[in-house]
């Protein structure tokens, strides 16, 4: 395979990872704004933030090639993979201990016909 073709393919792959990660992060931000309480907001933010940041870091690793920067980015990705879910759990557990009640859907007054 030609070196320029391989380089172009690697660039397109890294750009697509960066785009997918950015979309995950934007969708997670929109989800945080639309959700009603802390529990659903934390769920939306923790899932999309972890996934989006891993996609962005993978795109940056592909873009930087085989260098010391790639090893540092992999270490950051591993750190985020472990700490992001733990911090989300700690925040939700603190809200639960503070007796923050979730906002539930209001029951409808309609009765189902049988």
């Amino acid at each position: 395979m030609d070196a320029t073709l391989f380089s172009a393919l690697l660039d397109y792959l890294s750009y697509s990872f960066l785009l997918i990660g950015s979309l995950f992060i934007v969708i997670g931000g929109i989800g945080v704004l639309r959700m009603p309480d802390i529990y659903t907001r934390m769920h939306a933010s923790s899932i999309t933030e972890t996934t989006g940041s891993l996609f962005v870091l993978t795109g940056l690793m592909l873009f930087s090639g085989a260098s010391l920067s790639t090893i540092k980015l992999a270490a950051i990705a591993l750190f985020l993979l472990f700490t992001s879910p733990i911090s989300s759990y700690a925040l939700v557990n603190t809200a639960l201990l503070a007796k923050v009640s979730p906002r539930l859907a209001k029951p409808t007054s309609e009765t189902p016909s049988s």
Side-chain angles (χ1 to χ4, degrees), residues 1-59:
M1 184 181 282
D2 192 29
T4 57
L5 178 65
F6 183 73
S7 175
L9 183 65
L10 198 59
D11 284 343
Y12 286 129
L13 188 63
S14 67
Y15 293 147
S16 64
F17 271 105
L18 288 170
L19 181 66
I20 291 169
S22 300
L23 287 175
F24 265 101
I25 292 170
V26 167
I27 290 170
I30 293 169
V32 167
L33 292 175
R34 295 198 57 187
M35 297 296 169
D37 61 353
I38 189 168
Y39 301 108
T40 53
R41 285 180 182 173
M42 283 307 300
H43 177 72
S45 69
S46 67
I47 298 292
T48 56
E49 184 255 334
T50 303
T51 308
S53 63
L54 289 178
F55 270 113
V56 167
L57 287 171
T58 303

Side-chain angles (χ1 to χ4, degrees), residues 94-107:
T94 303
L96 189 63
L97 290 175
K99 300 195 185 337
V100 176
S101 61
R103 182 183 286 177
L104 302 174
K106 295 179 182 174

